[in-house]
Amino acid sequence: MVTLKELADKCGVSTATVSNAINGKSNISEATRLRILQMIEETGYKPNFMARNLRINPKRTIGLIIEELAAFSSTLIIEGIMRYFEVQKYETILYNMRVYSNSNWINDEEFMQTGVSKAVGELLSKQVSGIIHVAEHSRTLKYYNQSLPVPVVISYAYPDERKIPYVSIDDETSTAKMAEYILSKGHKKIAMICGLKDNLHAQKRYNSFKRVLNEHNVPFDENLCVFTGWNRDAGKEAAAKVLKDGVTAVFCHNDFIAAGVYDYLYEHNLQPGKDLLVTGFDDHIVSTYLHPQITTMRLPLLEIGQKSAELMDNLLKNNQESCIEGFEIPCELIKR
Amino acid sequence: MVTLKELADKCGVSTATVSNAINGKSNISEATRLRILQMIEETGYKPNFMARNLRINPKRTIGLIIEELAAFSSTLIIEGIMRYFEVQKYETILYNMRVYSNSNWINDEEFMQTGVSKAVGELLSKQVSGIIHVAEHSRTLKYYNQSLPVPVVISYAYPDERKIPYVSIDDETSTAKMAEYILSKGHKKIAMICGLKDNLHAQKRYNSFKRVLNEHNVPFDENLCVFTGWNRDAGKEAAAKVLKDGVTAVFCHNDFIAAGVYDYLYEHNLQPGKDLLVTGFDDHIVSTYLHPQITTMRLPLLEIGQKSAELMDNLLKNNQESCIEGFEIPCELIKR
């Protein structure tokens, strides 16, 4: 193996210039850079610690594709993944797609496919042994329909046709728990403010809630139910539509919508918790800062991360075909 | 340069086995792995895409050392860094120290020094051209006193003696704005609930607040002032100590402390905003979910990230010595 000094001599430049070429600094000419890089190839000089690392430390690296790091769900899922991998001695490389931060729309399939392909390419060039895709919310991901040289696990969403292991939440069971809680408090006329109509979470929560009411012989009234956005303003607007005479409880599909209902109640001099039971979903931190604090469903974000990492670990340690599993983890009812 | 096939032949194994050895898979013997890795060194075979990448794409990669990804400040600072680097065509590699997630104490200097050294080592082995250290809160970091082969920028904290560029917030100016706002509302007997006594933010906010009151000839009463923890429970406990007769306003050193004051007021059938003006700091999302929403100072997190990235860009493009600068960005008063 040539040393850095020998390589520099062969190129007729200083060792600093070689370092600059390797590190992509802009203060050398393109011709010099190319001459140095060609010499690196010819001599087999290793400009990085890679070979030494390989020998000392055959640690595997897993690439994480994060749709949006700034999403509240992402950091806890990542923490779950990293917690598992720290024990199992994997490294991680994180790729942040910045879907929302870049003002893009996650349902733009072409944009997403291009973005995921770029992310996969960069992670593969960094020699990852596997890829975990951390979705911003659950939906069916079609980005991994082409075979990749490394295994993929989908975290907080579902795969399309190809058999890819995944971990998401169990919206049906979780919503059923919430519906039963509301019914156990004696409510008979219950409104529901749902998320976006084309959203998988919203559809599952809607269906499950309707089913449980029917099972308990409590009439489900379509007029007390509306699909809307996932934010506070949408919740406030929706409240005006569904909070009709006699409604004593409202199940909101997330905590922001619930906060919007609080806003509506305050504006009408009504008292949340007293005049109307308002429940949420997610156990976002804001749910404890509303007064009174709201009853909600805690997303099992840490568990989703840990389980996703475990599935990847299984894929890498065992025969892949035997490890294709999907998991839906129920949320926990947080009574407040 | 040998090809993968030639390398495999020299080792007497299949190309798949070579790939497995390189990727650290566990399904080959340690003896085989070592033989392959030795041969890689001897032949100068490059097991990764590095050389090709260097030639095609001399993009620079910046390593980000994040003390705690789950801290609310981290994701926005990272977003600021990535936003700048996307335009300037840098890549980033993120290393999450997980200080709190791992139940460690950020003031444990030995633990932190070991953790930072490990992070730096891993990032250097991945050939980063520079390192940005994203702190969880502002303090003096002593971890970078030894020279590194790449430049360092400190984000949301201060360097020790060595000349390292940094970006943090301007606690003095920001607190002065808040103090003047409270005074402009006619308050004369103002309490202050400070963060931890050994914390730089708490010290600066305390001093600045005291100074502004003095400048306005409003008496500063030590008995209306207490240092406590940064959380809601601490705020509630502290409220019991400082909310004495005649106090009409309280400046809290963060929004969680302010929420604790709300809790105290509710328990005593007092109305936040009406019986007592409560102000916070940070503009954490929870500050808008308290009712009434609180007036607070917005941390310039995106700007800190963008400025940190810009400083790194300057360091890499120009002579380092000319680029050693420190910036303190003021927070914005958010009146509610």
Side-chain angles (χ1 to χ4, degrees), chain A residues 22-23 46-50, chain B residues 48 50-51 54 59-62 93 121-130 150:
Chain A
I22 290 168
N23 292 318
K46 269 181 213 62
N48 58 23
F49 294 62
M50 196 61 76
Chain B
N48 58 23
M50 199 60 76
L54 279 171
K59 235 189 208 181
R60 284 160 296 185
T61 302
I62 307 300
I93 291 182
E122 295 212 357
L123 290 174
L124 289 179
S125 81
K126 294 190 170 77
Q127 292 192 288
V128 297
S129 304
V150 298

Side-chain angles (χ1 to χ4, degrees), chain A residues 133-196:
Chain A
H133 182 110
V134 179
E136 194 270 337
H137 69 269
S138 287
R139 55 203 202 284
T140 302
L141 305 189
K142 298 177 184 168
Y143 322 133
Y144 296 96
N145 287 348
Q146 291 205 311
S147 264
L148 291 179
V150 299
V152 173
V153 169
I154 288 177
S155 195
Y156 202 29
Y158 302 92
D160 195 21
E161 295 135 35
R162 246 192 95 224
K163 292 204 161 179
I164 297 176
Y166 67 91
V167 186
S168 188
I169 62 170
D170 184 341
D171 275 304
E172 283 89 353
T173 308
S174 307
T175 302
K177 273 193 236 174
M178 178 59 87
E180 275 155 16
Y181 169 79
I182 296 172
L183 291 169
S184 77
K185 297 281 171 191
H187 298 278
K188 301 279 177 203
K189 199 163 176 184
I190 307 165
M192 173 160 58
I193 305 181
C194 310
L196 288 169

Side-chain angles (χ1 to χ4, degrees), chain A residues 207-223:
Chain A
N207 289 328
S208 173
F209 197 76
K210 187 172 175 177
R211 180 179 55 73
V212 174
L213 259 55
N214 284 334
E215 281 170 12
H216 286 75
N217 298 314
V218 170
F220 178 80
D221 184 350
E222 288 287 355
N223 294 315

Side-chain angles (χ1 to χ4, degrees), chain B residues 208-229:
Chain B
S208 174
F209 197 75
K210 188 173 173 175
R211 180 179 55 75
V212 173
L213 260 57
N214 284 333
E215 282 169 12
H216 286 75
N217 298 315
V218 170
F220 177 80
D221 184 350
E222 288 288 356
N223 294 315
L224 301 182
C225 174
V226 65
F227 284 85
T228 183

